[in-house]
Amino acid sequence: MIEVREVRTRQEQKQFLDFALDLYKGHPYFVPPLYADEKKMFSKEFVYNSSCDWTCFLAYKDGKPAGRIQCIIQKDANAKNAEKRCRFCRYDAIEDLEVSRALFEKVESWAREKGMDTVVGPLNFSDLEREGMLVEGFEEPSTFEQNYNFPYHPKHVEALGYTKEIDWTASRLYGPESPEAVDEMEELTAFIFRRYKLHYGTAKSGPALLEKYAGGIFDLLDKSYEGLYGTVPFTDGMRKLVLENFALVISPKYTAVVLDENEKIVCFGLAFPGLAPALVGTRGKYTPLTLLKLLYRIKRPDILDLCLVGVDPEYLNRGVSGALSLSIMKMLRDNPRVKWADTNLNLEDNYAILNQWRRFRREECKRYRAYVKKL
């Protein structure tokens, strides 16, 4: 017997958070989110409560948890795009199509009650959180920013009438495509900088970098991401959340900020030490051992995660983004411990960012998908 309940009690909240940790227990490619961060969404002060309506469902089979799903109405995104969409995310289930069917029937019923006409996902509260369903690359390790799911999950979703809306790809960058590429990029960047009176920003530490440039980075994120799939405008609460999450891991060593003659940011790229290996096999909780592993990875990374890249649309076709490619090439060249940089998720139709990787030795290793269904 399958029963689906809306998550209401603290016990159900814990079951919801623990379900994925139990489902993927011992799996070498599943990277748990930080438990404390996930738990925040059940707080009355949760940053997205003002811009989203949302709820969670748990499925039980013979009295035991068998699946979970979250549904979100992102009101800012719907208003921006003049849509009536309900997002689903945090979908995990045992290998039983009827469990998945029961979960999605609840999502679709809830969406109709709220006046929505479409269900789409996996999409989260914003594009700052994990999104997309893995459809290729199941034998590849995840990064801290990426979802993991079993191969049967997309099969279940497709069997329930959901079809592809868009894909993201994830690649590894191993360095410049040739020994001469760095010199060529140095010359090109110097020419672009002279022509448009640009220069790199500097900072002595991560906190100093955030103090100097955080406001400009957020403004440019809103401007450069406005037309991209699934993005939402940054609220003050979202900015505060990002600053809290980035404070420990951001470093000028892995950051590139390009400024014009008036010290306005026209281009930036943020990379962080890859934290995933420190969290594999844990439940995302801050145990003393996990903290030591995280600190070790922050100080001595062997993988870089490229997290945020932004270019002012006015400079998009002026070659300015080459300065970011050059910076990443130097990060890989000057830090021999670093094996590669992971691009994380790039939209398959975001040709500006995909073109930026053409000067690298690149391996596309994973593909993620957003599904859609009209109600």
Side-chain angles (χ1 to χ4, degrees):
M1 177 182 175
I2 298 171
E3 177 190 8
V4 179
R5 302 179 203 160
E6 189 170 5
V7 173
R8 297 185 184 276
T9 68
R10 288 190 178 183
Q11 181 183 2
E12 290 167 341
Q13 291 171 3
K14 185 176 186 304
Q15 287 180 325
F16 185 88
L17 296 177
D18 288 347
F19 181 78
L21 304 177
D22 295 333
L23 183 69
Y24 301 106
K25 184 177 180 180
H27 197 288
Y29 304 133
F30 170 70
V31 180
L34 292 175
Y35 199 90
D37 288 347
E38 288 288 277
K39 193 175 180 180
K40 286 177 183 177
M41 68 184 176
F42 293 115
S43 166
K44 292 181 179 179
E45 291 78 33
F46 184 50
V47 68
Y48 292 104
N49 283 343
S50 61
S51 59
C52 299
D53 292 334
W54 63 274
T55 193
C56 300
F57 292 103
L58 272 168
Y60 298 83
K61 183 176 182 179
D62 301 328
K64 297 180 180 180
R68 69 171 194 170
I69 200 165
Q70 183 173 40
C71 35
I72 300 168
I73 297 173
Q74 224 305 342
K75 293 181 284 189
D76 288 346
N78 280 349
K80 183 182 81 169
N81 300 311
E83 295 172 331
K84 295 181 179 180
R85 290 189 156 203
C86 173
R87 301 178 169 197
F88 76 85
C89 65
R90 293 178 175 84
Y91 158 59
D92 298 286
I94 63 172
E95 194 171 0
D96 185 329
L97 178 58
E98 296 311 308
V99 170
S100 294
R101 188 189 309 279
L103 286 168
F104 277 92
E105 285 177 351
K106 282 290 186 181
V107 171
E108 292 163 15
S109 175
W110 185 84
R112 289 190 188 95
E113 290 173 5
K114 296 290 185 178
M116 301 297 105
D117 59 19
T118 305
V119 175
V120 64
L123 290 176
N124 220 306
F125 292 99
S126 79
D127 55 305
L128 295 177
E129 289 83 41
R130 297 180 181 187
E131 57 189 354
M133 183 174 294
L134 185 65
V135 294
E136 294 178 14
F138 296 101
E139 300 305 316
E140 297 287 347
S142 301
T143 71
F144 179 66
E145 294 81 12
Q146 294 169 353
N147 282 325
Y148 186 83
N149 52 264
F150 289 125
Y152 64 80
H153 283 104
K155 293 179 181 177
H156 283 192
V157 170
E158 290 165 13
L160 297 173
Y162 287 78
T163 57
K164 171 187 170 178
E165 180 158 68
I166 200 166
D167 280 3
W168 295 264
T169 62
S171 301
R172 294 185 186 127
L173 308 179
Y174 292 100
E177 61 179 350
S178 68
E180 298 78 25
V182 176
D183 293 336
E184 292 172 1
M185 289 302 298
E186 287 267 24
E187 293 178 9
L188 176 62
T189 299
F191 171 76
I192 296 295
F193 275 26
R194 288 194 301 272
R195 182 173 184 178
Y196 297 112
K197 300 179 180 179
L198 306 176
H199 60 280
Y200 284 113
T202 60
K204 293 183 178 180
S205 66
L209 187 148
L210 289 174
E211 185 176 352
K212 287 178 72 172
Y213 302 122
I217 287 173
F218 284 125
D219 290 342
L220 186 51
L221 274 174
D222 267 338
K223 189 175 182 180
S224 60
Y225 282 33
E226 183 179 10
L228 295 182
Y229 177 84
T231 59
V232 301
F234 272 81
T235 64
D236 290 340
M238 288 169 63
R239 293 185 180 209
K240 182 175 181 293
L241 182 65
V242 170
L243 290 175
E244 290 173 355
N245 291 342
F246 285 5
L248 182 63
V249 294
I250 196 166
S251 167
K253 190 176 181 180
Y254 308 120
T255 302
V257 178
V258 178
L259 309 170
D260 68 10
E261 59 183 328
N262 299 312
E263 299 298 304
K264 178 186 174 184
I265 299 177
V266 300
C267 183
F268 74 89
L270 304 181
F272 302 135
L275 303 180
L279 293 167
V280 171
T282 75
R283 296 177 72 85
K285 296 185 179 181
Y286 286 120
T287 65
L289 180 58
T290 301
L291 283 171
L292 285 174
K293 289 181 177 180
L294 286 170
L295 290 172
Y296 179 84
R297 291 285 170 180
I298 291 170
K299 296 294 184 183
R300 303 185 68 190
D302 59 0
I303 298 169
L304 293 180
D305 290 351
L306 306 183
C307 293
L308 292 173
V309 174
V311 181
D312 191 316
E314 296 178 18
Y315 287 83
L316 201 55
N317 297 315
R318 300 182 184 181
V320 175
S321 62
L324 298 185
S325 296
L326 176 61
S327 295
I328 297 167
M329 288 177 183
K330 288 182 174 180
M331 291 177 200
L332 293 168
R333 182 195 66 187
D334 299 341
N335 296 279
R337 282 182 53 87
V338 176
K339 294 179 288 189
W340 67 74
D342 197 304
T343 66
N344 279 300
L345 273 60
N346 297 154
L347 285 164
E348 63 180 350
D349 62 355
N350 188 351
Y351 303 113
I353 190 68
L354 294 175
N355 188 54
Q356 191 163 322
W357 311 140
R358 64 185 174 86
R359 296 179 184 272
F360 289 85
R361 288 181 287 115
R362 172 176 169 248
E363 175 192 9
E364 185 179 300
C365 51
K366 283 167 281 187
R367 180 172 291 268
Y368 293 79
R369 182 160 296 163
Y371 287 94
V372 65
K373 182 179 180 180
K374 284 287 185 180
L375 301 179

